[in-house]
Amino acid sequence: MKTVWSYCRPYKISAAIALFFMIAELVVELVQPLLMAKIINNGIMVKNLEVVAIWGGIILALSLLGFLSGIMNTYYASHVSQSFGADIRKNVFEKVQSFSYAQFSLFAAGSLMTRLTNDVQQLQNTMFMGLRIMARAPLLIFGGLIMAFIVHPSLAVYLAVVVPCLFLFLVFFMGKGGRMFKVVQEKLDEVNNVMGENLAGMKLIRAFLRKSHEVSRFEDASEQLRKKTASVLQFMEISMPALLFLMNAATICILWFGNQEITVGTANVGEVVAVVNYATRITGSLSVLSFIIMAFSRSRASAARLNEVLNAPEEMEDHEDTFKIEAMRGDICFENVSFRYVGQSFSALDHVSFSLKAGCTMAILGSTGSGKSTLVNMIPRLYDPSEGRITIDGIDLREYDQRMLRRQIGLVPQEPLLFTGSVVENIRWGKRNASKEEVVKACKDAQIYETVMKLPQQMDTKIGQKGVNLSGGQRQRLSIARALVRKPRILLFDDSTSALDVKTEMELLQALKAYRGTKLIVTQKISTAIHADLIMLLQDGKKAAIGTHQELMESSALYREIIQSQGGERRSVYVEKANK
């Protein structure tokens, strides 16, 4: 809880002003029954209209003061709560951006969305209520009791007996409700996860006629959320009838014994009316307090969930003495590197070692699940090795400043992801200040320039979310252009030419020769691999073989099997000669 609520500190002055106006409004409310008692006793009972007019005017003036105080309190409470929520949302989002890939596996995408939206909103609402009515309710209860004792102690005793019991009763509900609301938020996560998966896979759902199945999945998740929400609301609402019953019983006692006090002359009508008025206000405050406790129970669950994100350890935090090299050569060396994903019993990479000199190209071949993507993703330090080390220019990756390291790496992922915006904005996503000439050259080298020029607004054509209005090959080539515009010292292609035809891919590979950077190309195609200076075979996370095309033809049976499966040695040699 402390981590989340620490975001209130920058707004403590505004919060103090809001509390000041809230107390001013509270004082007005506490004084009014006392003044009404004076009007009844000194004005109405003795038919003195002058007293009624004077004290009535004072009550009206105080009411206006309370009204203005309420407006000012609302203004400052809104400012604090909205700013507080915006700061939390920003910091949670920044924290998520700093997560390693391993940490992402701990939080589902739907859960993170719920935390950034619904959970933050719960805290905003709680903060607003805290400054507007949350502190006001208990203060009004406490102040009402004190004022009731000042007016008539013997009648106030009935309130003094009931109110503490009700307060403890509400505290119990708050603790129980907090645990129940945490389950509700988890069920909301499940609904968001199902919804997110369906929106992302809409084409596949239609192609496989899985609409009814997915609707059923969503209904099941939604029904679980409904049941849990209904049960917790029903539980929390039990407090209200009990609260009203006991407070009404106390009010009846005050009226009954107040009448007896008036009869014997130990109380007057104004005092009884004032104590009843305080009892009524305390009843209203307890009703508000039960609502506040329900909201606070929910916010406690939300705060705990946000703290899980904010307090997640920095797995790849830079040290003060990290290397901040502006330009690297690009020598890459894996030294006995192993890696295991969280929760997995087997290693994705198992003691892999190789060296690649700056400016050289290495192709990585292997079956699905052999560790190719894992290996590539470790170079920009998206993962850290479980064992061994990776060096660039002889320096361990963990000793580099991460921002400096990644600025010099261009990564083309296996699944190209484009963002909502124009073509040129997506390419400049790789280099924010790229000139028009650099963008055009990157497009030409990625073999996408002619396609872009045929689009309705050319470079300014808007791309839908995730590039839905482009083909797979177009998305891949734009993703490649985004990496090339950086002119990186290390280029990583994670099976990112799979949607390209042979001719386009050959033209792309030819264009890549002009880039001086070190290149690692994950591929399934022998026709692509034979253009590399070095070819490495991975099998079950282990290095099966490494060498040039000719060396592997002579020494690796696995390599020959791959060639045979793709059309035979004659075809690979033909392709190799045709592109020399």
Side-chain angles (χ1 to χ4, degrees):
M1 292 286 283
K2 289 182 180 179
T3 300
V4 166
W5 297 116
S6 66
Y7 289 93
C8 300
R9 289 172 189 161
Y11 310 102
K12 56 186 178 184
I13 294 176
S14 295
I17 294 173
L19 290 173
F20 170 79
F21 284 113
M22 182 272 294
I23 291 171
E25 187 181 13
L26 175 65
V27 169
V28 169
E29 193 165 352
L30 289 173
V31 169
Q32 281 180 341
L34 197 61
L35 299 180
M36 289 173 63
K38 288 183 177 296
I39 291 175
I40 292 171
N41 291 330
N42 302 332
I44 295 174
M45 297 300 293
V46 297
K47 299 181 180 180
N48 188 337
L49 294 179
E50 184 179 354
V51 171
V52 173
I54 291 172
W55 287 109
I58 292 173
I59 288 177
L60 288 175
L62 287 174
S63 298
L64 179 61
L65 177 62
F67 173 71
L68 294 175
S69 296
I71 291 174
M72 295 302 295
N73 171 266
T74 300
Y75 173 81
Y76 281 99
S78 299
H79 166 67
V80 173
S81 62
Q82 293 303 311
S83 300
F84 161 78
D87 287 349
I88 293 177
R89 191 179 294 112
K90 173 178 174 289
N91 281 274
V92 171
F93 187 79
E94 287 181 350
K95 182 72 175 185
V96 170
Q97 293 291 316
S98 71
F99 277 178
S100 67
Y101 269 30
Q103 284 175 302
F104 270 116
S105 64
L106 302 176
F107 300 96
S111 175
L112 290 174
M113 289 174 62
T114 305
R115 294 172 203 237
L116 280 163
T117 52
N118 187 273
D119 286 327
V120 172
Q121 187 177 13
Q122 292 295 336
L123 294 183
Q124 282 180 317
N125 293 340
T126 301
M127 176 58 66
F128 177 78
M129 287 191 297
L131 296 174
R132 183 71 188 98
I133 57 174
M134 190 178 289
R136 184 171 174 270
L139 286 175
L140 184 57
I141 294 168
F142 184 69
L145 278 173
I146 293 175
M147 295 300 293
F149 271 100
I150 291 173
V151 172
H152 201 288
S154 62
L155 294 178
V157 168
Y158 300 105
L159 294 178
V161 171
V162 173
V163 169
C165 296
L166 289 177
F167 184 78
L168 294 174
F169 178 71
L170 291 175
V171 169
F172 163 75
F173 270 77
M174 182 178 69
K176 178 72 173 177
R179 293 187 292 272
M180 296 177 74
F181 274 120
K182 185 176 182 181
V183 176
V184 169
Q185 296 300 93
E186 290 171 355
K187 294 300 178 183
L188 182 59
D189 286 348
E190 293 177 12
V191 170
N192 283 340
N193 282 331
V194 173
M195 185 167 59
E197 288 175 359
N198 274 261
L199 293 176
M202 191 62 70
K203 289 183 181 178
L204 196 63
I205 292 168
R206 290 180 178 178
F208 280 81
L209 300 176
R210 300 289 287 176
K211 176 183 174 182
S212 58
H213 172 75
E214 292 303 318
V215 168
S216 177
R217 278 184 67 209
F218 182 81
E219 287 178 347
D220 288 343
S222 182
E223 179 64 14
Q224 289 295 318
L225 175 62
R226 185 196 67 79
K227 287 181 178 178
K228 291 296 180 182
T229 304
S231 64
V232 68
L233 291 177
Q234 289 163 1
F235 173 79
M236 297 301 291
E237 285 298 321
I238 292 173
S239 62
M240 186 59 65
L243 182 151
L244 293 175
F245 174 78
L246 291 175
M247 283 305 299
N248 288 332
T251 303
I252 290 171
C253 289
I254 293 169
L255 289 171
W256 177 266
F257 291 105
N259 180 60
Q260 294 182 1
E261 297 271 359
I262 293 171
T263 302
V264 298
T266 55
N268 55 54
V269 175
E271 289 173 340
V272 174
V273 170
V275 174
V276 170
N277 202 312
Y278 283 122
T280 303
R281 291 169 190 263
I282 290 172
T283 302
S285 295
L286 284 169
S287 301
V288 172
L289 190 62
S290 67
F291 172 74
I292 290 170
I293 286 175
M294 183 167 63
F296 188 69
S297 299
R298 196 160 194 167
S299 72
R300 281 186 63 193
S302 295
R305 285 158 51 82
L306 289 167
N307 277 335
E308 287 178 0
V309 178
L310 291 169
N311 294 328
E314 293 283 352
E315 291 189 352
M316 296 185 175
E317 191 173 4
D318 286 332
H319 303 293
E320 293 183 2
D321 56 347
T322 53
F323 288 91
K324 296 183 178 180
I325 299 174
E326 293 292 342
M328 56 176 58
R329 294 190 309 276
D331 294 318
I332 300 173
C333 183
F334 274 55
E335 299 177 6
N336 211 30
V337 171
S338 295
F339 176 78
R340 180 177 296 176
Y341 288 100
V342 176
Q344 295 290 340
S345 59
F346 57 90
S347 295
L349 289 177
D350 189 3
H351 298 94
V352 174
S353 297
F354 69 88
S355 294
L356 185 63
K357 291 185 177 181
C360 292
T361 300
M362 183 169 79
I364 305 173
L365 291 170
S367 59
T368 302
S370 60
K372 305 184 299 297
S373 295
T374 302
L375 185 148
V376 167
N377 287 327
M378 295 184 81
I379 295 173
R381 209 181 161 205
L382 302 181
Y383 302 113
D384 275 339
S386 305
E387 296 179 41
R389 71 174 193 148
I390 304 169
T391 66
I392 294 180
D393 297 344
I395 301 171
D396 193 307
L397 285 185
R398 286 167 285 204
E399 296 179 20
Y400 277 103
D401 177 85
Q402 292 183 63
R403 292 177 62 86
M404 294 294 185
L405 170 69
R406 290 168 182 166
R407 279 176 186 163
Q408 301 185 65
I409 295 175
L411 173 64
V412 186
Q414 191 171 19
E415 295 182 8
L417 176 62
L418 301 177
F419 297 87
T420 302
S422 66
V423 171
V424 69
E425 286 171 344
N426 270 273
I427 295 173
R428 282 186 175 142
W429 202 82
K431 183 181 179 183
R432 188 168 48 189
N433 59 347
S435 65
K436 182 179 179 181
E437 291 73 19
E438 288 177 316
V439 171
V440 169
K441 185 178 188 311
C443 284
K444 288 181 177 179
D445 290 341
Q447 313 304 310
I448 191 65
Y449 182 73
E450 291 182 5
T451 301
V452 170
M453 289 299 102
K454 294 176 183 177
L455 295 175
Q457 283 82 43
Q458 299 181 344
M459 287 286 184
D460 294 321
T461 301
K462 295 295 181 182
I463 296 174
Q465 189 178 34
K466 296 185 178 181
V468 293
N469 52 340
L470 299 175
S471 69
Q474 289 170 342
R475 290 198 297 271
Q476 279 192 342
R477 283 177 285 163
L478 279 177
S479 184
I480 292 169
R482 182 173 62 197
L484 294 181
V485 79
R486 304 181 72 143
K487 299 177 183 175
R489 302 302 302 176
I490 297 175
L491 263 170
L492 306 173
F493 293 85
D494 186 7
D495 200 13
S496 47
T497 61
S498 58
L500 305 186
D501 58 78
V502 175
K503 180 177 179 295
T504 303
E505 186 175 18
M506 291 303 110
E507 291 172 347
L508 169 65
L509 294 174
Q510 187 65 34
L512 289 179
K513 292 179 180 179
Y515 287 79
R516 295 184 302 159
T518 309
K519 295 175 276 290
L520 278 79
I521 303 174
V522 172
T523 182
Q524 301 287 352
K525 305 173 185 176
I526 289 294
S527 59
T528 302
I530 60 177
H531 293 277
D533 301 305
L534 203 61
I535 302 171
M536 181 168 68
L537 301 182
L538 287 178
Q539 189 173 29
D540 298 328
K542 298 180 180 179
K543 183 180 71 176
I546 189 167
T548 64
H549 168 70
Q550 194 59 44
E551 289 171 346
L552 292 177
M553 284 293 296
E554 296 173 359
S555 63
S556 174
L558 176 60
Y559 187 69
R560 291 193 294 271
E561 288 176 12
I562 294 173
I563 289 179
Q564 190 63 36
S565 69
Q566 295 188 22
E569 179 182 352
R570 195 182 318 175
R571 180 182 173 187
S572 69
V573 173
Y574 170 77
V575 173
E576 181 179 11
K577 289 180 179 179
N579 289 280
K580 280 186 178 180

